[in-house]
Amino acid sequence: MKLCTKVFHLHVIISIHTVSIFYLMCPSIASITTFIYGGCSQLKYNPGTTIYESNVNSVLTSLVNSASNANFNNFKISLPGSTQSDIVYGLFQCRGDLSNSDCRDCVSKAVSQVGTLCIYTVGGALQLDGCFVKYDNISFLGAEDKAIVMHKCGPSSSGGDPDTLTRRDAVLTYLSAEGLYFRVGGSGKIQGVAQCTQDLSVGECQDCLSEAIGHLKSECESSPWGDMFLAKCYARYSERGFSSSSGKRRHHGWWWSIISGFFVI
């Protein structure tokens, strides 16, 4: 297992409290391929009979190959003979603290799983703990999308522990800081992480994360952990490591399967 090599420390003042925030660059290798959610378009193509299938295979291969050298990339694939409706758009985004090798391993796993989950569908998306992949026949690259895809909160406690809530709010305030696509921090036993897909501008990323964090505060209130995944960004906090969630949600004509480690179609 890799050791944390960088620790940054700062103080955040919330009301009359001064809370220490520790910024840790230390991914958990065992958890980066933990399944969080997946979704598929309802439209399907006929296997073995269309160039669209070749374009899908090409874009998914490109995602895996590119992840060896970068933590984000996007593609528009149109092989010879393709019509406008055959074009496939794809994107991957790795968590900002992953090495190139860990990013590639995560994207490879995600591509394999989205191929199983979304067999013969024209579009699919899958979020693992360490990376996100998506492909579709309609361009989504560079487009803002703040729809809630999945959210889950821990059990709510009456009033909550004041110190824990103060630290939670301090962490979320830190995650709201502008200028970064990937943000991670902690205070005491509270840990938090937030990220956007890098096809967004910095301003669009900030807008997305502000909305995600706002939803997280209002939905999870005094919960000890919470996850808020929008279509192009997410924010999470926990006092016990990050949670898994279950449920189903429909968004933009897609069925999202949200079951940790298992798929429901």
Side-chain angles (χ1 to χ4, degrees):
M1 178 173 291
K2 297 180 180 178
L3 299 177
C4 297
T5 57
K6 296 183 181 179
V7 179
F8 302 92
H9 175 254
L10 55 88
H11 289 90
V12 177
I13 299 177
I14 304 294
S15 185
I16 60 174
H17 300 280
T18 301
V19 179
S20 294
I21 298 291
F22 295 92
Y23 183 96
L24 301 178
M25 296 295 284
C26 185
S28 172
I29 303 304
S31 68
I32 61 174
T33 57
T34 299
F35 178 81
I36 296 178
Y37 70 79
C40 313
S41 65
Q42 293 182 285
L43 294 176
K44 294 197 172 189
Y45 60 85
N46 294 321
T49 61
T50 67
I51 196 169
Y52 188 79
E53 182 175 17
S54 297
N55 285 339
V56 168
N57 292 336
S58 180
V59 79
L60 294 179
T61 299
S62 296
L63 298 183
V64 175
N65 290 340
S66 181
S68 297
N69 304 304
N71 71 353
F72 163 79
N73 211 340
N74 61 83
F75 297 90
K76 174 184 176 182
I77 299 295
S78 178
L79 296 177
S82 298
T83 65
Q84 184 65 33
S85 62
D86 292 323
I87 297 174
V88 180
Y89 304 86
L91 170 152
F92 78 89
Q93 176 69 64
C94 284
R95 210 169 65 200
D97 57 347
L98 297 191
S99 66
N100 287 343
S101 61
D102 290 337
C103 178
R104 188 185 190 283
D105 288 346
C106 187
V107 171
S108 179
K109 183 74 169 181
V111 164
S112 175
Q113 291 189 355
V114 79
T116 301
L117 176 65
C118 301
I119 188 168
Y120 306 141
T121 65
V122 300
L126 190 130
Q127 176 78 56
L128 301 182
D129 193 85
C131 61
F132 172 74
V133 299
K134 181 175 180 178
Y135 72 94
D136 204 355
N137 67 337
I138 298 173
S139 180
F140 55 90
L141 305 177
E144 285 191 272
D145 189 347
K146 295 181 287 184
I148 297 174
V149 176
M150 185 277 280
H151 75 278
K152 190 75 173 179
C153 304
S156 183
S157 57
S158 179
D161 174 58
D163 181 65
T164 297
L165 292 179
T166 297
R167 290 180 181 278
R168 189 279 307 268
D169 289 344
V171 170
L172 293 181
T173 297
Y174 177 73
L175 296 180
S176 299
E178 297 187 26
L180 297 172
Y181 286 101
F182 174 71
R183 311 164 189 190
V184 60
S187 177
K189 60 185 178 180
I190 302 296
Q191 304 169 25
V193 63
Q195 184 158 23
C196 298
T197 57
Q198 289 176 247
D199 60 319
L200 299 180
S201 68
V202 172
E204 290 167 340
C205 174
Q206 184 63 32
D207 189 36
C208 188
L209 286 180
S210 295
E211 184 142 339
I213 291 169
H215 285 308
L216 198 53
K217 288 181 177 180
S218 62
E219 294 285 342
C220 296
E221 297 183 333
S222 61
S223 298
W225 57 266
D227 298 338
M228 184 64 62
F229 285 84
L230 308 188
K232 285 292 185 79
C233 70
Y234 67 82
R236 313 173 75 188
Y237 75 89
S238 176
E239 64 177 8
R240 56 172 180 78
F242 291 112
S243 62
S244 299
S245 309
S246 62
K248 259 194 174 183
R249 179 178 298 274
R250 185 185 177 102
H251 166 55
H252 290 181
W254 289 37
W255 280 108
W256 294 95
S257 304
I258 311 165
I259 292 187
S260 176
F262 299 91
F263 297 118
V264 174
I265 300 177

